[in-house]
């Protein structure tokens, strides 16, 4: 169930005809994946059919590279995925090797930590790096990582802060009492001049990247390398970290379980993730293409 309720009827098409895209960009959690984090057989078949038809598929997610096993078998051709809300491009065919990193400067991260501690007392932090995640003692252990270091964010960010230090992909900020959208608005007001701040969790958990780093900006770079324009991209998403990408793409769909800001940003709407909303649209795109060619 999405934050505004699910859509279970037929997808709402964007105004005008849906062109055959050259690239499909899709979020994972709450979008391509079902709530149990699986990829349905219908979705697997739709992704393969798109690739066979010459349409590139990019997974564009807030997930770190180490959590991409769920879809690594379903990336064809280029093998690339955009992770950590645009902070990294990884090659899933090469063991999740980092192809491009758009790091959050440690000095900037420290400024954000200081600013949010003052604006929202009780905030706890985690630091996501290319080598894994480290977090503060009070940060909720959403996913246990046996290799994580536990210390204050200041110490984690200052440790090994030289040219050999692992790049910081994003800072995570959690608040136990504030509502998710309230925390997001407060953080953007207080620290939005220093970094890109968004969220994808149903809890008050913010994801903080380098200024100008987003799913949209990294997808734009990947498309530019391929000579693909925004008009040739169809994008899918469900949460605030997808908004910029949906606005950038020529055609975009909010999932039936999407956040209200996502619905407002997208040009169309499909059914919920548990009903294979991405596959539904891909199947229609391919059927329309076949009909046109025939």
């Amino acid at each position: 169930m999405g934050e505004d309720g699910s859509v279970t009827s037929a997808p709402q098409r964007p105004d005008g005809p849906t062109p055959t895209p050259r690239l499909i960009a899709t979020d994972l959690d709450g979008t391509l994946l079902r709530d149990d984090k699986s990829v349905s057989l219908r979705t697997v078949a739709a992704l393969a059919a798109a690739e066979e038809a010459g349409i590139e598929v990019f997974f564009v997610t807030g997930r770190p590279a180490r959590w991409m096993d769920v879809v690594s078998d379903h990336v064809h051709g280029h093998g690339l995925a955009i992770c950590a809300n645009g902070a990294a491009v990884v090659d899933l065919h090469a063991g999740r090797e980092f192809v491009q990193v758009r790091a959050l400067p440690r000095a900037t991260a420290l400024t954000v930590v200081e600013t949010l501690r003052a604006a929202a007392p009780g905030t706890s932090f985690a630091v996501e790096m290319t080598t894994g995640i480290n977090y503060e003692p009070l940060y909720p252990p959403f996913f246990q990582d046996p290799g994580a270091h536990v210390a204050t964010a200041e110490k984690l960010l200052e440790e090994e802060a030289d040219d050999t230090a692992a790049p910081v992909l994003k800072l995570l900020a959690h608040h136990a009492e504030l509502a998710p959208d309230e925390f997001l608005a407060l953080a953007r007001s207080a620290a939005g001049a220093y970094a890109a701040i968004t969220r994808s969790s149903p809890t008050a958990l913010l994801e903080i990247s380098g200024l100008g780093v987003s799913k949209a900006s990294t997808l734009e770079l990947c498309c530019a390398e391929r000579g693909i324009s925004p008009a040739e991209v169809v994008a899918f998403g469900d949460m605030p970290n997808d908004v910029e990408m949906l606005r950038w793409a020529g055609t975009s769909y909010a999932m039936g379980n999407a956040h209200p800001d996502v619905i407002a940003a997208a040009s169309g709407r499909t059914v919920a993730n548990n009903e294979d909303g991405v596959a539904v649209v891909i199947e229609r795109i391919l059927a329309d293409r076949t009909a046109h060619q025939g």
Side-chain angles (χ1 to χ4, degrees):
M1 176 68 70
E3 299 191 25
D4 68 326
S6 294
V7 165
T8 57
S9 59
Q12 300 172 8
R13 292 174 181 261
D15 293 336
T18 301
T20 298
R22 291 181 61 193
L23 186 143
I24 290 169
T26 178
D27 172 51
L28 295 182
D29 296 282
T31 301
L32 188 80
L33 305 182
R34 291 189 168 187
D35 287 348
D36 64 2
K37 307 305 179 185
S38 68
V39 186
S40 73
L41 293 177
R42 180 180 185 182
T43 296
V44 169
L47 294 174
E51 293 277 6
E52 186 176 351
I55 303 170
E56 291 194 73
V57 176
F58 261 79
F59 299 133
V60 188
T61 179
R63 286 185 172 218
R66 66 182 183 280
W67 291 355
M68 294 299 289
D69 286 351
V70 66
V71 292
S72 59
D73 290 340
H74 310 304
V75 176
H76 306 274
H78 56 79
L80 301 179
I82 295 171
C83 296
N85 290 329
V89 179
V90 301
D91 188 340
L92 299 183
H93 288 170
R96 302 190 298 274
E97 175 185 335
F98 287 95
V99 175
Q100 180 180 17
V101 172
R102 304 179 69 195
L104 171 65
R106 287 173 181 253
T108 302
L110 283 166
T111 298
V112 172
V113 167
E114 178 183 2
T115 302
L116 291 187
R117 287 203 198 281
T123 300
S124 60
F125 296 93
V127 182
E128 178 72 49
M129 297 179 289
T130 54
T131 52
I133 191 168
N134 300 319
Y135 43 79
E136 295 192 312
L138 295 180
Y139 184 81
F142 296 108
F143 297 94
Q144 292 286 355
D145 188 328
H149 296 291
V150 180
T152 65
E154 289 84 353
K155 183 172 178 59
L156 293 171
L157 289 165
E158 288 172 353
E159 284 182 343
E160 302 176 0
D162 56 28
D163 292 341
T164 65
V168 175
L169 295 177
K170 62 180 178 178
L171 186 68
L172 297 141
H174 179 266
H175 203 284
E177 298 177 2
L178 294 175
D181 283 336
E182 178 187 7
F183 190 28
L184 177 59
L186 175 63
R188 283 176 169 172
S189 176
Y194 308 119
I197 305 174
T198 189
R199 77 176 187 89
S200 61
S201 170
T203 66
L205 177 64
L206 305 183
E207 301 163 64
I208 302 162
S209 306
L211 201 62
V213 176
S214 68
K215 290 184 175 186
S217 61
T218 301
L219 177 63
E220 182 176 15
L221 292 173
C222 291
C223 286
E225 291 175 353
R226 291 159 172 75
I228 296 174
S229 70
E232 296 172 304
V233 177
V234 174
F236 299 86
D238 73 306
M239 288 296 280
N241 64 331
D242 297 312
V243 165
E244 293 93 340
M245 178 175 73
L246 299 181
R247 287 176 176 160
W248 177 82
T251 304
S252 59
Y253 288 88
M255 305 305 293
N257 48 292
H259 184 282
D261 290 351
V262 175
I263 296 169
S267 57
R269 197 170 183 192
T270 186
V271 294
N273 63 314
N274 284 334
E275 299 172 81
D276 302 326
V278 173
V280 168
V281 174
I282 292 175
E283 290 164 357
R284 190 182 65 208
I285 288 171
L286 297 177
D288 288 350
R289 172 178 170 155
T290 300
H292 179 73
Q293 291 176 338

